[in-house]
């Protein structure tokens, strides 16, 4: 097949490579060994979140080389660069977690600045850890140059005493160890065996949730997000992505042609159907914001409410991403949702075809029990539920996948930091039936909206996962299970009701009706507000200070700039 000739005079890279006045710019490319032919071709940014912070990212540099070969084979000129990643598993449970959500926006900003500064014409983005996936997709939509997203792939499950384990088991083992239910020797063996390969956390935690989103929203090639990191087929997907981005340039198919309101609804549907991470309720609004589309927590929750929960994936179920890939991958999940009317089939994707066209050749696999047919779900309501009430006027979110009891009522036990709550849990200084409240951990109050996995996993490890509830204006890991409500808004730092709670206030959680309320009158809240003042978080300089000045509420995705709706000119059109 003849490769299309692409007129570079209409692309951003003309500003650094075309005409006699750009001779100094071209001299830099000659210094790196490029030929006149390569300089005359479109420049494709190959952005990788590679680092040595965690197994999630360690395979990305190798995969980027396969992408570059694909770009070159299709008459493009790849230009590789790296951006940061903060790895939640290592940042978890201490002050480092304040950097996690902030990193999402720094990733998007840094990719934008690299692309903008060097005038690259297209983008292939590789991501591994949780926030790097939405960060990379946000950059694609913001820049609006032809783009393909690549997930680095999941880790393989470990084996401990004959059973498969993930890092979730290690976090929960800390709770078991704290009450004498696990020996020092077993804890050491488990931590050494839980993570046996490169790749992101293997269950339907935030990374795999957002990888599922990438295929469902149309920015990733079908099947590409399911293959585990060690599988050699990843190189084939990466090579194909490099070829495909050149086709997108030729056809001028851009991210905002793909990320539409319908595509966002498709993405929210797969999150709910797969029992995915509550963090998707932050990241989908943030991706929508880059396109100038209003799609907030309540819009996400409406989709969750009407979506069946059909995937038997950890942490609520039995299987991990490797298992799903081997029985048919993410397209198997999407095929049954499409066949039963839960997905929009007319959305454009990076294949250049619609979602329905991509799914046409997918056959239902009857010899598996990882995914149920959408007309025979575990529950008719999705695995994630939105909540609202006088304790959360701007909403909250809870993951119900795998939970049996969806209602809880009890007295509040208030903590102003995660550390204070974790200490109480570690020492078992709490009572069955209480609602543990962790506040001042929101986007501004933290700053950075930390995840609470260390605390929730410790509770579960102590056998108290369904005997207490926990609510916070911060976040939860995708690995969290139990009655844990996050994203409570307005956050305490802004004077939200969660900051006015007192020990003993009766809190009601109803994940069936979608209610989060407390037995405190409006008049009493007003009386308490007169004696309330924001908490001094102590971060008065640096990135966390900057973030606290800019970040918006969780209901809109905790975004840090006005978004596509305020845009005067898109980068792609410079």
């Amino acid at each position: 097949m003849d490769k299309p000739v692409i007129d570079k005079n209409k692309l951003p890279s003309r500003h650094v490579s075309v005409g006699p006045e750009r001779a100094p710019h071209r001299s830099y490319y000659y210094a790196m060994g490029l030929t006149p032919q390569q300089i005359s071709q479109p420049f494709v940014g190959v952005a990788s979140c590679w680092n040595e912070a965690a197994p999630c990212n360690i395979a990305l540099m190798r995969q980027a080389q396969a992408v570059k070969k694909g770009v070159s084979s299709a008459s493009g000129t790849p230009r590789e660069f790296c951006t940061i990643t903060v790895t939640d598993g290592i940042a978890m449970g201490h002050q480092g977690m304040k950097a996690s959500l902030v990193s999402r926006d720094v990733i998007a900003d840094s990719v934008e600045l690299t692309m903008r500064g060097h005038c690259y014409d297209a983008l292939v983005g590789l991501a591994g850890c949780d926030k790097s996936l939405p960060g990379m997709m946000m950059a694609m939509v913001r820049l609006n140059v032809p783009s393909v997203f690549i997930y680095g792939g999941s880790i393989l499950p470990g084996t401990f005493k004959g059973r498969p384990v993930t890092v979730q088991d290690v976090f929960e083992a800390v709770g078991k160890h704290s009450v004498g239910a696990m020996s020092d020797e077993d804890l050491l063996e488990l931590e050494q065996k839980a993570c046996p390969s490169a790749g992101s956390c293997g269950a339907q935690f935030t990374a795999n949730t957002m990888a599922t989103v990438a295929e469902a929203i149309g920015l990733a090639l079908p099947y590409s997000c399911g293959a585990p990191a060690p599988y050699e087929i990843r190189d084939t997907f990466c090579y194909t992505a490099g070829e495909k981005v050149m086709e997108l340039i030729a056809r001028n198919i851009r991210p905002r042609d793909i990320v539409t309101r319908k595509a966002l609804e498709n993405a929210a549907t797969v999150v709910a159907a797969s029992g995915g991470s509550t963090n998707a309720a932050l990241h989908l609004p943030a991706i929508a914001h880059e396109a100038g589309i209003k799609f907030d927590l309540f819009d996400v929750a409406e989709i969750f409410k009407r979506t069946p929960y059909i995937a038997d994936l950890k942490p609520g179920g039995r299987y991990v991403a490797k298992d799903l890939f081997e029985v048919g991958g993410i397209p198997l999940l999407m095929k049954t949702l499409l066949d039963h009317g839960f997905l929009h089939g007319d959305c454009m994707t990076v294949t250049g075809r619609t979602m329905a066209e991509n799914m046409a050749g997918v056959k239902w696999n009857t010899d598996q029990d990882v995914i149920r047919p959408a007309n025979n779900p575990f529950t008719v309501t999705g695995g994630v539920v939105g909540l609202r009430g006088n304790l959360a006027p701007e909403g909250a979110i809870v993951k119900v996948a795998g939970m049996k009891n969806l209602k809880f009522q009890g007295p509040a036990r208030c903590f102003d930091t995660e550390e204070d709550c974790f200490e109480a849990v570690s020492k078992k200084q709490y009572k069955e039936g209480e609602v543990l409240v962790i506040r001042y951990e929101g986007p501004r109050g933290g700053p950075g909206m930390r995840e609470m996995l260390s605390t929730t996993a410790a509770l579960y490890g102590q056998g108290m996962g369904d005997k207490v509830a926990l609510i916070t204006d911060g976040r939860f890991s995708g690995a969290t299970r139990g009655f844990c409500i996050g994203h409570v808004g307005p956050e305490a730092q802004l004077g939200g009701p969660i900051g006015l709670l007192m020990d003993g206030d009766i809190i009601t959680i109803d994940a069936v009706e979608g209610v989060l309320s407390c037995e405190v009158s409006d008049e009493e809240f007003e009386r308490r507000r007169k004696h309330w003042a924001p908490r001094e978080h102590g971060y008065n300089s640096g990135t966390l200070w900057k973030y606290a000045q800019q970040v918006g509420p969780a209901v809109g995705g905790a975004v840090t700039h006005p978004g596509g709706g305020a845009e005067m000119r898109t980068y792609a059109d410079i």
Side-chain angles (χ1 to χ4, degrees), residues 15-155:
H15 295 298
V16 296
S17 61
V18 175
E21 68 277 13
R22 301 309 183 205
H25 306 67
R26 289 191 295 273
S27 72
Y28 277 43
Y29 288 107
Y30 287 124
M32 292 183 281
L34 269 64
T35 65
Q37 175 63 31
Q38 289 172 313
I39 295 171
S40 72
Q41 295 174 164
F43 289 164
V44 177
V46 179
S48 162
C49 294
W50 175 87
N51 63 28
E52 292 183 333
C56 327
N57 315 305
I58 203 73
L60 293 178
M61 184 178 288
R62 178 183 66 79
Q63 293 186 35
Q65 309 318 305
V67 172
K68 289 160 68 177
K69 290 176 183 176
V71 170
S72 298
S73 75
S75 302
T77 301
R79 309 313 300 150
E80 182 181 0
F81 63 95
C82 288
T83 183
I84 69 159
T85 324
V86 172
T87 297
D88 287 6
I90 290 175
M92 192 72 67
H94 54 87
Q95 294 291 305
M97 180 46 71
K98 292 181 185 293
S100 171
L101 185 59
V102 180
S103 76
R104 180 194 72 180
D105 293 66
V106 172
I107 289 164
D109 292 350
S110 64
V111 172
E112 177 197 354
L113 291 175
T114 301
M115 294 285 292
R116 190 180 288 279
H118 304 104
C119 295
Y120 296 154
D121 302 314
L123 174 62
V124 179
L126 300 94
C129 282
D130 298 357
K131 307 309 170 294
S132 62
L133 283 81
M136 194 65 74
M137 286 186 266
M138 287 162 66
M140 290 173 174
V141 179
R142 184 186 304 177
L143 293 161
N144 205 32
V145 291
S147 301
V148 178
F149 177 85
I150 294 174
Y151 179 42
S154 65
I155 198 169

Side-chain angles (χ1 to χ4, degrees), residues 208-524:
N208 279 326
T209 296
M210 295 310 296
T212 308
V213 161
E215 285 197 32
I217 211 167
L219 288 173
L221 295 172
Y223 298 100
S224 67
C225 289
Y231 284 19
E232 291 299 319
I233 196 174
R234 291 228 52 83
D235 283 3
T236 303
F237 287 126
C238 292
Y239 186 95
T240 305
E243 291 182 312
K244 186 58 65 174
V245 81
M246 294 303 299
E247 182 184 318
L248 296 178
I249 296 174
R251 296 179 59 183
N252 196 28
I253 297 174
R254 302 181 179 188
R256 295 187 198 178
D257 300 321
I258 294 168
V259 179
T260 61
R261 171 78 190 208
K262 284 183 176 181
L264 288 157
E265 291 179 358
N266 284 349
T269 298
V270 300
V271 171
S274 66
S277 169
T278 54
N279 281 305
L282 271 181
H283 302 324
L284 288 175
I287 294 169
H289 179 72
E290 299 290 352
I293 299 170
K294 181 192 171 294
F295 192 69
D296 65 17
L297 171 64
F298 296 115
D299 296 309
V300 174
E302 279 301 310
I303 306 295
F304 289 171
K305 194 183 298 183
R306 63 176 187 250
T307 303
Y309 166 45
I310 60 173
D312 196 4
L313 297 170
K314 288 177 180 286
R318 294 176 292 166
Y319 295 110
V320 294
K322 164 186 170 291
D323 302 316
L324 174 58
F325 179 70
E326 289 173 352
V327 300
I330 296 165
L332 185 75
L333 170 70
M334 292 169 55
K335 174 68 170 176
T336 186
L337 290 169
L338 180 66
D339 286 349
H340 291 92
F342 293 101
L343 290 181
H344 303 288
D346 57 348
C347 295
M348 177 57 66
T349 73
V350 290
T351 65
R353 301 186 298 272
T354 66
M355 185 67 68
E357 289 170 333
N358 289 345
M359 293 296 108
V362 177
K363 300 286 191 295
W364 179 252
N365 181 356
T366 58
D367 298 322
Q368 58 84 34
D369 60 354
V370 181
I371 303 294
R372 286 191 177 190
N375 61 346
N376 181 32
F378 292 108
T379 59
V380 293
T381 299
V384 184
V385 174
L387 306 173
R388 198 172 197 168
N390 72 332
L391 192 49
E394 288 184 359
I397 199 93
V398 60
K399 186 171 186 172
V400 298
M403 284 173 52
K404 295 181 176 65
N405 180 25
L406 300 183
K407 297 183 180 182
F408 196 100
Q409 186 178 66
R413 175 85 180 282
C414 299
F415 301 90
D416 286 351
T417 68
E418 183 197 7
E419 284 84 357
D420 290 346
C421 185
F422 183 73
E423 182 179 3
V425 169
S426 298
K427 296 176 179 177
K428 290 212 73 175
Q429 295 172 344
Y430 64 94
K431 296 175 183 175
E432 184 175 326
E434 287 185 326
V435 179
L436 308 182
V437 178
I438 304 178
R439 58 197 181 185
Y440 295 103
E441 292 286 4
R444 291 199 180 205
M449 204 179 184
R450 286 194 290 179
E451 291 182 354
M452 309 294 159
L453 177 60
S454 290
T455 302
T456 61
L459 285 168
Y460 218 92
Q462 291 176 354
M464 299 293 284
D466 58 352
K467 296 180 175 64
V468 296
L470 197 156
I471 72 169
T472 181
D473 52 7
R475 301 181 294 123
F476 290 112
S477 165
T480 290
R481 52 179 175 162
F483 225 137
C484 301
I485 292 88
H487 307 192
V488 175
E491 62 173 292
Q493 189 74 6
L494 299 179
I498 191 173
L500 305 175
L501 283 174
M502 298 175 68
D503 287 350
D505 288 341
I506 301 300
I507 295 174
T508 299
I509 306 162
D510 186 337
V512 178
E513 297 299 323
V515 173
L516 176 61
S517 63
C518 60
E519 295 179 8
V520 179
S521 67
D522 292 345
E523 293 76 17
E524 174 61 15

